[in-house]
């Protein structure tokens, strides 16, 4: 489409009924009203389309936004330091986002437990009693949360700050762990709760309800030309292996990000969800597709290009008369229906109509992009589909 048409569509683009929006300060006021229909639809689709594996991670993501908004946050340690914070639940192995929640800021200045406790409990509400493993960083994790998750039928593991009040004092700054690879583990009574400290380049503290306190694993570290075969607690190994799901998904989004600058804050959330939908679709495609490709490796960029081509279809605002006439002569839309004749990806292949019906060999690059059938431009597209597609009742 032309630039003027796109800008005009963008100017009047809305996803909610602005006339029915509750006024600010009203009892039913919703900060996310402008984007709420899309959030509800996308959230429902994510949960219905995929079932988590054994390991899942709860983490936070940032949507870049520099304008004024009461929901905007500043996070010094994040690559995107200013924007709207979103809580995410992600599969640790496939990096699929299944649930998210936009942080609206402090609500009523009081909660029964701290914010991180409520976030993790809310994110894991649909998978309670499934014995899955939940991984969190030290912002979320606390002993009270781990005990509650264990009661919910969920195991958990993560890092804790060294000054955590419920972390064992003797493990906070042990004086006998000087060499790299040394560690200590303590278990609370006969419960599953364990605390560990491990010396790598510096001390690392973990708590877990899924780790055997007697189990240690190899952790090779290279220093120059020398390789050190260190030992580390199971909690450290599991955390390093399964904690990065949200970060990897964010990397997929940032590689080929969709979106445009705007003065409207809700559009940034809209584009974030569009990016999330595309990445989730690609991850599901990788896990389930058995389709053969002309390329040896059908990657993320190839998926986006094919998706764009399918969404655009044959639409063009300014159609050239010669091309339109040629296509009209070649394809009878009334008979063929949704089938489209165009260049197929990959090498030239034999025209199926000539091979099976006329018993002749003609190689062609063209075919039906709907059923991926190679058909040459000698009228075979119309003849083939009139022969194979049943007539409508």
């Amino acid at each position: 489409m032309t630039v003027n048409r796109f800008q005009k569509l963008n100017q009047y683009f809305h996803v909610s009924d602005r006339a029915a929006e509750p006024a600010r300060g009203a009892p039913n006021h919703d900060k996310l009203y402008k984007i709420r229909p899309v959030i509800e639809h996308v959230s429902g689709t994510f949960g219905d389309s995929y079932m988590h594996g054994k390991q899942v991670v709860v983490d936070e993501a940032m949507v870049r936004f520099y304008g004024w908004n009461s929901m905007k946050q500043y996070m010094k340690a994040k690559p995107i330091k200013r924007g709207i914070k979103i809580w995410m639940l992600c599969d640790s192995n496939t990096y699929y986002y299944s649930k998210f929640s936009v942080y609206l800021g402090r609500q009523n200045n009081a909660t029964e437990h701290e914010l991180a406790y409520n976030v993790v409990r809310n994110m894991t509400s649909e998978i309670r009693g499934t014995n899955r493993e939940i991984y969190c960083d030290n912002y979320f994790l606390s002993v009270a949360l781990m005990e509650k998750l264990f009661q919910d039928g969920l195991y958990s593991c993560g890092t804790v700050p060294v000054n955590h009040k419920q972390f064992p004092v003797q493990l906070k700054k042990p004086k006998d762990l000087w060499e790299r690879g040394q560690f200590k583990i303590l278990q609370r009574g006969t419960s599953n709760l364990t605390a560990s400290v491990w010396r790598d380049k510096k001390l690392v503290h973990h708590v877990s309800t899924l780790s055997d306190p007697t189990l240690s694993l190899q952790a090779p570290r290279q220093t120059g030309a020398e390789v050190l075969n260190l030992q580390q607690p199971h909690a450290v190994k599991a955390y390093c292996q399964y904690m990065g799901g949200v970060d990897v998904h964010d990397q997929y989004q940032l590689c080929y990000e969709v979106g445009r600058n705007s003065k409207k804050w809700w559009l940034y959330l809209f584009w974030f969800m569009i990016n999330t939908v595309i990445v989730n679709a690609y991850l599901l495609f990788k896990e389930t597709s058995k389709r053969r490709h002309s390329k040896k490796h059908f990657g993320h960029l190839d998926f986006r290009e094919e998706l764009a081509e399918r969404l655009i279809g044959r639409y063009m605002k300014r159609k050239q008369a010669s091309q339109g006439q040629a296509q009209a002569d070649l394809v009878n839309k009334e008979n063929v229906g949704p089938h489209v004749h165009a260049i197929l990806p990959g090498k030239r292949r034999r025209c199926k109509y000539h091979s099976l019906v006329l018993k002749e060999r003609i190689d062609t690059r063209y075919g039906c992009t709907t059923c991926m059938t190679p058909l040459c431009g000698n009228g075979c597209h119309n003849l083939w589909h009139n022969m194979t597609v049943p007539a409508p009742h």
Side-chain angles (χ1 to χ4, degrees):
M1 67 179 69
T2 62
V3 174
N4 291 339
R5 176 173 171 79
F6 175 82
Q7 291 178 346
K8 187 59 66 173
L9 290 173
N10 194 52
Q11 178 182 352
Y12 295 108
F13 176 67
H14 294 287
V15 296
S16 63
D17 184 4
R18 297 295 301 278
E21 182 177 2
R24 185 178 298 178
N28 58 343
H29 175 68
D30 182 8
K31 288 185 176 181
L32 298 176
Y33 178 86
K34 294 180 177 65
I35 193 69
R36 179 66 67 185
V38 179
I39 292 178
E40 292 178 352
H41 178 75
V42 170
S43 298
T45 304
F46 285 172
D48 297 338
S49 303
Y50 182 78
M51 181 175 292
H52 278 299
K54 185 178 180 181
Q55 294 84 16
V56 296
V57 56
V58 177
D59 206 349
E60 54 196 355
M62 292 286 285
V63 178
R64 184 182 287 107
F65 178 67
Y66 296 109
W68 183 91
N69 191 278
S70 61
M71 295 184 292
K72 191 173 73 171
Q73 302 289 313
Y74 174 76
M75 300 185 66
K76 183 179 180 181
K78 288 287 185 180
I80 300 177
K81 302 186 184 305
R82 288 180 172 84
I84 300 173
K85 185 189 294 186
I86 298 183
W87 313 116
M88 310 297 302
L89 180 69
C90 180
D91 190 288
S92 298
N93 297 294
T94 62
Y95 318 123
Y96 180 92
Y97 276 176
S98 66
K99 189 174 181 179
F100 66 92
S101 176
V102 181
Y103 178 53
L104 303 179
R106 184 177 297 179
Q107 303 292 316
N108 301 326
N109 296 323
T111 57
E112 181 182 354
H113 297 282
E114 56 190 22
L115 172 64
Y117 179 98
N118 293 331
V119 168
V120 177
R121 291 271 292 148
N122 177 55
M123 289 288 104
T124 58
S125 59
E126 282 83 14
I127 58 174
R128 294 174 186 172
T130 60
N131 296 325
R132 284 183 169 86
E133 300 174 1
I134 311 298
Y135 293 87
C136 308
D137 59 20
N138 56 18
Y139 176 79
F140 296 95
L141 214 55
S142 65
V143 173
L145 173 61
M146 299 183 73
E147 292 174 341
K148 189 61 180 177
L149 289 176
F150 190 73
Q151 294 176 11
D152 292 338
L154 298 171
Y155 299 97
S156 55
C157 178
T159 57
V160 292
V162 67
N163 58 350
H164 193 281
K165 61 181 180 180
Q166 292 183 318
F167 194 76
V169 178
Q170 55 269 43
L171 297 185
K172 290 186 175 182
K173 294 182 179 180
K175 297 182 179 180
D176 53 344
L177 300 184
W178 294 104
E179 295 185 6
R180 196 175 182 184
Q182 292 181 328
F183 62 87
K184 283 186 177 182
I185 303 176
L186 292 180
Q187 182 178 2
R188 174 182 282 185
T190 58
S191 68
N192 282 43
L193 185 61
T194 61
S196 63
V197 57
W198 179 58
R199 168 72 71 174
D200 192 9
K201 291 185 178 180
K202 60 181 181 179
L203 292 176
V204 183
H205 303 81
H206 289 78
V207 287
S208 173
T209 58
L210 55 86
S211 302
D212 184 352
T214 63
L215 180 63
S216 62
L217 304 171
Q218 287 190 351
R221 295 291 188 272
Q222 186 167 357
T223 57
E226 183 182 2
V227 177
L228 303 177
N229 292 317
L230 309 179
Q231 293 292 315
Q232 64 181 184
H234 175 267
V236 181
K237 180 74 173 181
Y239 178 83
C240 295
Q241 182 176 358
Y242 297 116
M243 183 57 201
V246 173
D247 296 331
V248 175
H249 187 106
D250 289 343
Q251 290 173 9
Y252 275 117
Q253 287 200 26
L254 293 174
C255 285
Y256 311 106
E257 192 172 14
V258 174
R260 300 182 72 86
N261 293 333
S262 175
K263 295 181 180 179
K264 303 174 183 178
W265 62 268
W266 64 269
L267 275 176
Y268 288 86
L269 286 179
F270 175 80
W271 290 120
F272 169 80
M273 285 184 283
I274 293 296
N275 281 295
T276 304
V277 167
I278 295 174
V279 174
N280 273 353
Y282 169 65
L283 296 174
L284 289 180
F285 177 83
K286 283 207 312 179
E287 291 293 312
T288 60
S289 176
K290 297 181 180 179
R291 192 182 75 179
R292 294 184 178 180
H293 306 289
S294 58
K295 293 188 176 181
K296 186 175 182 180
H297 175 68
F298 190 84
H300 185 198
L301 180 58
D302 300 312
F303 178 85
R304 284 180 176 262
E305 289 178 346
E306 183 172 325
L307 174 64
E309 290 174 359
R310 295 298 179 90
L311 291 175
I312 295 171
R314 300 182 59 81
Y315 173 79
M316 183 182 296
K317 186 178 180 183
R318 297 177 179 175
K319 294 185 178 180
Q320 298 180 7
S322 59
Q323 292 182 352
Q325 184 62 36
Q327 291 296 335
D329 296 336
L330 181 62
V331 181
N332 187 338
K333 294 185 179 181
E334 183 177 353
N335 296 328
V336 178
H339 300 280
V340 178
H341 191 255
I343 297 178
L344 295 180
K347 300 179 180 179
R348 298 168 66 91
R349 292 185 289 173
R350 295 184 185 181
C351 172
K352 206 155 191 176
Y353 185 81
H354 274 81
S355 298
L356 298 181
V357 180
L358 303 180
K359 307 300 181 182
E360 299 176 357
R361 174 169 178 170
I362 293 184
D363 295 334
T364 180
R365 295 180 58 195
Y366 288 82
C368 177
T369 58
T370 304
C371 53
M372 303 303 291
T373 303
L375 297 164
C376 66
N378 297 324
C380 294
H381 182 88
N382 194 14
L383 295 172
W384 173 261
H385 288 100
N386 284 334
M387 178 183 67
T388 58
V389 178
H393 297 290

